[in-house]
Amino acid sequence: MKYWTYRPLSFHKLSIRKKLILTIMGISSMVLMTTLSIFITSELKSIKKNMLEDLSTLADLVGKNNTGALLFQDNKAASENLLALKAKPHIVSAHFFLNNNQLFAQYHRNKLNRINHIPAQVSDLVEKQSNGHFYLHDHIHIVKRITFKADQTIIGLIYIQSDRDIYWERVKEYAYTIVIMITILLLLTFAFAFQAQKSFTDPILKLLTSMKQVSENQDYSKVIDNEHYDEFGQLIKGYNTMLT
């Protein structure tokens, strides 16, 4: 009874044709992966930066539009103005704080799952009345001061929490695009490698075929047509001279 035994693939046992194809494919794949990795990393950093900048701009805009409500401590107006954030589905929650750090108004995307817990990092920023942002539980948290335009007096703070669904959707889009690009490029590389290896293997195969015929038929009159002008051409020329 014969048992199947695993024999690891050995590169040096492969034919020259396969070695050339694998070498070209390997080098092309490494260059392709390196280039795409650099491009993707740069693009994802850019997306992350743009998301933070957009959120910071939104916080500034909402804060300025509610300066009057904070000055006159109009809780109803501030709460109604925060409802405009419904147009931004990535906004999870938003809070207004007065200049005495007291919670003044708030908005939550999901009213049924209203979260009143404020992260400790936010509480620290509010107590210090300073701007800041951080990432927590795959959410972006940003705190911005709201100042009175005339003398830059701090009249309150706004805290906005946003999810990163847009970011991950963009990551998925890049992943799909990369898979398609890599597949197409590798197929093109394989086609190129298959054609390129012929310039190396064809003259060698001609030599091997001629040697076999000479060995079997003892016919030294059939020289090889030499269409090469490189080292292979010199090798075939020397072989033809040897036959003559």
Side-chain angles (χ1 to χ4, degrees):
M1 184 176 181
K2 294 183 178 180
Y3 293 93
W4 179 82
T5 56
Y6 171 72
R7 295 181 179 178
L9 181 63
S10 180
F11 184 78
H12 72 275
K13 293 182 179 179
L14 297 176
S15 64
I16 294 178
R17 174 180 295 179
K18 292 180 180 179
K19 286 179 180 178
L20 287 172
I21 293 176
L22 287 176
T23 301
I24 295 173
M25 290 290 291
I27 295 173
S28 301
S29 298
M30 286 190 291
V31 173
L32 178 63
M33 292 296 184
T34 303
T35 304
L36 287 177
S37 298
I38 295 173
F39 172 75
I40 294 166
T41 302
S42 176
E43 284 297 309
L44 292 180
K45 285 183 178 179
S46 177
I47 294 171
K48 188 176 180 180
K49 180 181 178 182
N50 291 337
M51 285 184 62
L52 182 59
E53 290 177 350
D54 291 343
L55 192 61
S56 178
T57 302
L58 178 63
D60 286 333
L61 182 63
V62 174
K64 289 178 180 178
N65 290 340
N66 287 274
T67 301
L70 289 171
L71 279 173
F72 297 102
Q73 296 190 10
D74 189 346
N75 178 272
K76 183 178 179 181
S79 299
E80 290 177 353
N81 290 336
L82 284 178
L83 291 177
L85 293 174
K86 287 183 178 180
K88 304 289 185 180
H90 61 282
I91 301 299
V92 178
S93 65
H95 299 73
F96 278 129
F97 295 90
L98 297 176
N99 55 5
N100 61 359
N101 303 337
Q102 180 183 353
L103 180 62
F104 180 63
Q106 57 184 315
Y107 159 80
H108 291 271
R109 182 175 63 187
N110 189 351
K111 293 182 179 180
L112 298 178
N113 188 24
R114 195 179 180 93
I115 302 175
N116 295 314
H117 175 68
I118 305 297
Q121 295 92 325
V122 173
S123 299
D124 291 340
L125 291 172
V126 171
E127 289 179 4
K128 296 176 182 178
Q129 294 189 343
S130 61
N131 298 328
H133 72 275
F134 59 92
Y135 297 88
L136 182 65
H137 304 312
D138 205 30
H139 285 182
I140 307 174
H141 303 258
I142 188 168
V143 178
K144 301 282 287 188
R145 290 181 293 191
I146 303 172
T147 57
F148 190 60
K149 188 176 181 180
D151 56 3
Q152 295 300 310
T153 303
I154 298 176
I155 60 177
L157 297 101
I158 181 171
Y159 157 54
I160 294 181
Q161 178 186 2
S162 171
D163 61 35
R164 299 177 68 191
D165 291 347
I166 297 176
Y167 175 81
W168 292 118
E169 287 177 5
R170 192 66 61 85
V171 170
K172 290 179 181 178
E173 290 176 2
Y174 273 114
Y176 294 141
T177 304
I178 290 166
V179 170
I180 295 173
M181 287 179 60
I182 289 177
T183 302
I184 294 174
L185 290 174
L186 287 180
L187 289 175
L188 292 174
T189 303
F190 178 78
F192 168 77
F194 185 78
Q195 292 297 323
Q197 58 84 27
K198 290 183 179 180
S199 62
F200 296 92
T201 57
D202 283 357
I204 296 177
L205 292 175
K206 286 181 180 179
L207 283 169
L208 291 175
T209 302
S210 178
M211 288 178 183
K212 185 177 180 180
Q213 291 176 351
V214 171
S215 176
E216 292 178 352
N217 304 324
Q218 304 297 317
D219 185 0
Y220 301 95
S221 63
K222 293 182 179 179
V223 296
I224 302 175
D225 294 334
N226 192 359
E227 301 173 353
H228 304 274
Y229 301 94
D230 51 12
E231 290 81 358
F232 288 114
Q234 295 178 13
L235 180 62
I236 293 174
K237 182 179 179 181
Y239 176 77
N240 289 336
T241 302
M242 182 184 68
L243 287 181
T244 304

